[in-house]
């Protein structure tokens, strides 16, 4: 091959000739600065069996790996258009950055989206716009069995653990939550000192690893839970059953991020991958889940208790609904994570191929709770690519009461979507445990940006709601959200999906779309 022949010529012919020529003309020896490293690297490439490309293309083959290493940056900065970036396009990222910095968030020259493309979403405006009061930015979290309800914002920080994010990033998020009066979900990594440092409201998430309330054998420690759950700053408890990025797979914290502090907070070995079990050991089955909800509510002193899941088999969520009816125990809220969610490390196939998308899941959960007559007693929280005021409008119209945002909040503290969250080499210091990189997050500055982003997004949400001719979030309906379909028509979600009436699953005949799953569901097991 030409590259191999070039290597042999330069190494076996030019290198000796250069050495000899140097005795007659000393400046020729300067060529050795190039030829000797070239010969050594090429010899290694030819002898190695690790890389086919390097074996066939000694030395020059390294440029392939260099370009591959920086290819995400090349695509982001030079290839992608404003609207086709993934997971978040440049339009959304720029909007979050502008609102977080308090800069102009308007756009010139019209939309950059193709409004005729299949899947495009929009809402209808009204010629009689309304004024929406600021009170619509909040909702009460806590059902009839809760003695310490919490007035929550419609937009909150979604679950992100200390460990997945740096200490400064966690503090900035919590400080922003404190300043803006909204909640900060801890993620399953436990209630760390950094979550408590700035005094923001906390939703403490309990995962299958029970970090923060973990017994020596890895199980649930009720005494540790009771002590921390009664902390005044903890406003609600969320049991994590599954998440959109990796449903039915335990949380993953790479060994590179497990330093001494993380190991101590979580109660796990140092410098080893932390992979939580895929299922809980503290309870078994839907009825067990409801009993666990009640136990946590009692141990926490009556605070709101809920659970988070990504919808998979429909019959399994219906089994939970049957358990609610049989036990009489109700969660105060249910958090629905869409398959499009995710911030940290996850197996590729789990991220790409498992789980129900958020919009479909919201309609399904809302239908199930309406079908069993419990919708008015349980709040629905959603998470999964919520970043703008329109996103909140859309999710509330499809059944949510409030929204959580993760990656958008990361943008507010400086994330640049470098896609290195799972490597500990986050260039912005947000998703890393490297202390040098983590120091890049200026807590006093970034907490202001989180606060500004939250407030500007909710202001946009209220403006959009009013522009649609509505004064209250409760007036939103699936018919308000339209999606472009392949037949070149805009169809509302009320047309695209069945919407159950109150109590429809408790009387005959059962709706055809739900009958098989309802009959298969059992309160005793998933």
């Amino acid at each position: 091959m030409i590259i191999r022949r070039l290597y042999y010529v330069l190494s076996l012919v030019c290198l000796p000739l250069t050495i000899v020529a140097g005795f007659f003309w000393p400046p020729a020896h300067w060529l050795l600065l190039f030829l000797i490293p070239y010969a050594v690297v090429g010899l290694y490439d030819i002898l190695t069996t690790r890389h086919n490309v390097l074996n066939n293309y000694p030395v020059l083959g390294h440029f392939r790996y260099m370009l591959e290493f920086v290819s995400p940056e090349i695509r982001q900065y030079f290839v992608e258009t404003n609207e086709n970036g993934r997971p978040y396009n440049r339009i959304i990222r720029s909007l979050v950055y502008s609102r977080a910095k308090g800069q102009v968030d308007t756009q010139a020259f019209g939309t950059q989206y193709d409004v005729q493309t299949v899947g495009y979403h929009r809402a209808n405006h009204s010629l009689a716009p309304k004024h929406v009061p600021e009170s619509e930015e909040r909702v009460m979290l806590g059902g009839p069995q809760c003695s310490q309800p919490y007035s929550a914002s419609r937009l909150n920080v979604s679950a992100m653990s200390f460990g997945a994010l740096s200490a400064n990033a966690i503090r900035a998020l919590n400080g922003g939550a404190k300043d803006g009066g909204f909640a900060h979900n801890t993620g399953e990594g436990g209630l760390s000192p950094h979550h408590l440092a700035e005094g923001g409201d906390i939703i403490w998430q309990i995962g299958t690893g029970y970090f923060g309330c973990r017994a020596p054998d890895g199980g649930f420690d009720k005494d540790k839970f009771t002590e921390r759950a009664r902390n005044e700053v903890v406003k609600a408890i969320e049991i994590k059953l599954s998440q959109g990025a990796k449903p039915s797979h335990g949380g993953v914290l790479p060994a590179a991020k497990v330093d001494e502090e993380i190991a101590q907070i979580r109660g796990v070995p140092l410098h080893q991958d932390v992979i939580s079990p895929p299922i809980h050991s503290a309870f078994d089955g839907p009825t067990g889940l409801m009993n666990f909800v009640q136990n946590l509510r009692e141990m926490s002193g009556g605070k709101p208790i809920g659970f988070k899941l990504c919808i998979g088999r429909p019959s399994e969520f219906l089994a939970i609904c049957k358990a609610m009816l049989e036990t009489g125990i109700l969660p105060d809220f249910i958090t629905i994570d869409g398959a499009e969610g995710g911030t940290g490390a996850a197996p590729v196939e789990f991220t790409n191929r498992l789980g129900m998308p958020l919009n479909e899941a919201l309609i399904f959960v809302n239908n199930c709770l309406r079908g069993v007559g419990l919708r008015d007693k349980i709040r629905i929280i959603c998470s999964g690519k919520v970043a703008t005021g329109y996103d909140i409008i859309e999710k509330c119209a499809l059944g949510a009461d409030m929204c959580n945002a993760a990656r958008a909040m990361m943008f507010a503290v400086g994330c640049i979507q470098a896609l290195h969250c799972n490597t500990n080499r986050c260039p912005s210091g947000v998703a890393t445990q490297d202390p040098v990189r983590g120091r890049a997050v200026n807590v006093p500055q970034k907490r202001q940006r989180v606060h500004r982003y939250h407030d500007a997004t909710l202001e946009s949400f209220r403006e959009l709601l009013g522009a649609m001719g509505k004064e209250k979030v409760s007036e939103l309906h699936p018919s308000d959200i339209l999606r472009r379909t392949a037949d070149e028509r805009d169809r509302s979600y009320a047309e695209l999906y069945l919407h159950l009436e109150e109590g429809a699953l408790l009387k005959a005949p059962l709706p055809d779309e739900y009958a098989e799953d309802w009959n298969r569901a059992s309160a005793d097991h998933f």
Side-chain angles (χ1 to χ4, degrees):
M1 300 178 71
I2 295 176
I3 302 301
R4 271 201 171 212
R5 291 170 185 170
L6 176 65
Y7 169 75
Y8 290 136
V9 170
L10 291 175
S11 300
L12 302 180
V13 178
C14 295
L15 180 58
L17 288 177
T18 300
I19 295 173
V20 173
F23 290 110
F24 300 97
W25 187 55
H29 282 152
W30 284 105
L31 286 174
L32 298 178
L33 293 177
F34 165 75
L35 291 173
I36 290 176
Y38 181 84
V40 172
V41 172
L43 180 63
Y44 171 81
D45 292 342
I46 289 174
L47 295 178
T48 186
T49 58
R50 293 179 57 194
H51 299 287
N52 295 2
V53 171
L54 296 181
N55 196 270
N56 283 330
Y57 302 93
V59 184
L60 291 182
H62 286 279
F63 286 98
R64 184 262 183 193
Y65 296 102
M66 292 169 60
L67 291 172
E68 183 181 54
F69 182 76
V70 298
S71 63
E73 288 75 18
I74 291 174
R75 286 196 299 271
Q76 184 179 110
Y77 299 137
F78 302 108
V79 178
E80 74 176 38
T81 65
N82 283 347
E83 71 276 8
N84 70 2
R86 295 288 186 271
Y88 284 80
N89 64 34
R90 193 181 302 275
I91 295 173
I92 300 301
R93 299 198 307 267
S94 297
L95 179 62
V96 175
Y97 294 145
S98 297
R99 287 178 172 170
K101 295 175 183 177
Q103 298 174 346
V104 175
D105 62 353
T106 54
Q107 178 174 295
F109 228 64
T111 181
Q112 296 181 35
Y113 288 109
D114 180 358
V115 299
Q116 302 294 330
T117 193
V118 174
Y120 180 78
H121 284 70
R122 68 175 181 86
N124 282 331
H125 63 283
S126 170
L127 293 179
K130 302 291 180 63
H131 170 74
V132 178
E134 289 189 9
S135 60
E136 287 301 303
E137 293 183 358
R138 306 197 73 83
V139 61
M140 192 62 69
L141 195 65
Q145 299 172 357
C146 171
S147 60
Q148 293 192 54
Y150 170 59
S151 176
S153 170
R154 297 276 183 185
L155 177 63
N156 302 280
V157 181
S158 195
M160 293 180 285
S161 304
F162 171 58
L165 302 192
S166 66
N168 279 12
I170 291 292
R171 290 184 59 193
L173 290 170
N174 192 256
K178 171 69 173 178
D179 298 340
F182 52 99
H184 179 194
N185 192 306
T186 65
E188 66 172 305
L191 186 59
S192 75
H194 307 293
H195 287 101
L196 302 173
E198 307 300 323
D201 291 346
I202 289 291
I203 295 177
W204 181 17
Q205 186 182 92
I206 308 297
T208 57
Y210 303 112
F211 304 123
C213 53
R214 181 183 177 93
D217 63 357
F220 176 71
D221 188 317
K222 64 180 182 179
D223 293 329
K224 289 182 181 178
F225 172 82
T226 301
E227 178 185 356
R228 297 189 178 188
R230 297 199 175 218
N231 188 319
E232 183 180 355
V233 78
V234 176
K235 303 300 183 182
I237 314 295
E238 179 180 84
I239 306 163
K240 177 191 163 186
L241 302 180
S242 62
Q243 67 183 95
K246 41 185 178 288
S248 295
H249 190 289
V252 178
L253 185 65
K257 291 186 175 184
V258 185
D259 58 16
E260 292 185 7
E261 184 179 26
I262 292 290
Q264 182 177 6
I265 290 172
R266 297 197 178 196
V268 296
L270 184 66
H271 300 315
Q272 294 184 22
D273 288 340
V274 180
I275 302 177
S276 303
I279 59 174
H280 280 267
S281 60
F283 60 87
D284 182 31
T287 300
L289 170 62
M290 291 302 103
N291 290 329
F292 192 58
V293 165
Q294 182 60 26
N295 291 338
L296 296 190
R297 187 180 286 128
E298 293 172 357
M299 287 186 281
S300 67
K303 294 182 177 180
I305 309 294
F307 55 86
K308 171 183 177 178
L309 79 165
C310 176
I311 299 297
R313 292 180 177 176
S315 61
E316 294 181 345
F317 185 79
L318 287 168
I320 294 176
C321 293
K322 284 188 174 181
M324 295 179 199
L325 295 174
E326 290 188 12
T327 63
I329 301 170
L330 304 181
D332 298 291
F333 62 92
I334 299 173
T335 302
I336 305 302
D337 201 11
E340 58 270 55
T343 55
V348 174
E349 296 91 343
F350 279 75
T351 294
N352 291 341
R353 301 299 178 184
L354 291 184
M356 189 180 290
L358 182 55
N359 283 1
E360 183 179 345
L362 277 175
I363 292 171
F364 171 73
V365 170
N366 191 55
N367 270 342
C368 291
L369 294 180
R370 286 176 59 84
V372 296
L374 298 176
R375 180 62 185 91
D376 61 332
K377 298 178 177 62
I378 300 171
R379 297 297 186 190
I380 296 178
I381 307 173
C382 75
S383 61
K385 295 194 75 172
V386 174
T388 69
Y390 172 78
D391 293 334
I392 303 175
I393 289 285
E394 181 178 285
K395 307 315 176 192
C396 288
L398 300 184
D401 294 295
M402 48 194 282
C403 300
N404 288 344
R407 286 168 289 186
M409 294 291 182
M410 290 172 66
F411 292 145
V413 297
C415 168
I416 60 172
Q417 193 169 282
L419 307 182
H420 289 310
C421 308
N422 59 331
T423 67
N424 208 35
R425 298 194 305 270
C426 172
S428 62
V430 176
T432 180
Q433 287 307 296
D434 184 326
V436 176
R437 293 174 183 264
R439 281 200 295 268
V441 180
N442 183 311
V443 175
Q445 179 190 79
K446 302 304 182 183
R447 69 182 287 171
Q448 292 179 7
R449 293 190 178 186
V450 172
H451 179 195
R452 280 195 293 258
Y453 162 69
H454 170 270
D455 286 3
T457 302
L458 281 184
E459 182 179 358
S460 169
F461 161 72
R462 286 193 295 111
E463 289 178 346
L464 285 167
L465 186 63
M468 294 169 67
K470 303 178 188 299
E471 294 180 298
K472 297 181 179 180
V473 176
S474 59
E475 296 173 17
L476 287 169
H477 185 268
S479 60
D480 293 314
I481 305 301
L482 297 100
R483 187 175 73 190
R484 190 75 172 176
T485 56
D487 60 357
E488 298 186 355
R489 288 187 57 190
D490 289 344
R491 299 181 184 273
S492 76
Y493 272 82
E495 297 177 78
L496 294 171
Y497 291 90
L498 172 68
H499 294 273
L500 300 188
E501 297 296 328
E502 194 77 15
L505 295 175
L506 301 179
K507 57 189 177 183
L510 292 172
D512 291 340
E513 290 185 24
Y514 287 77
E516 182 178 351
D517 288 314
W518 178 259
N519 291 329
R520 184 185 297 124
S522 170
D524 296 326
H525 57 82
F526 288 118

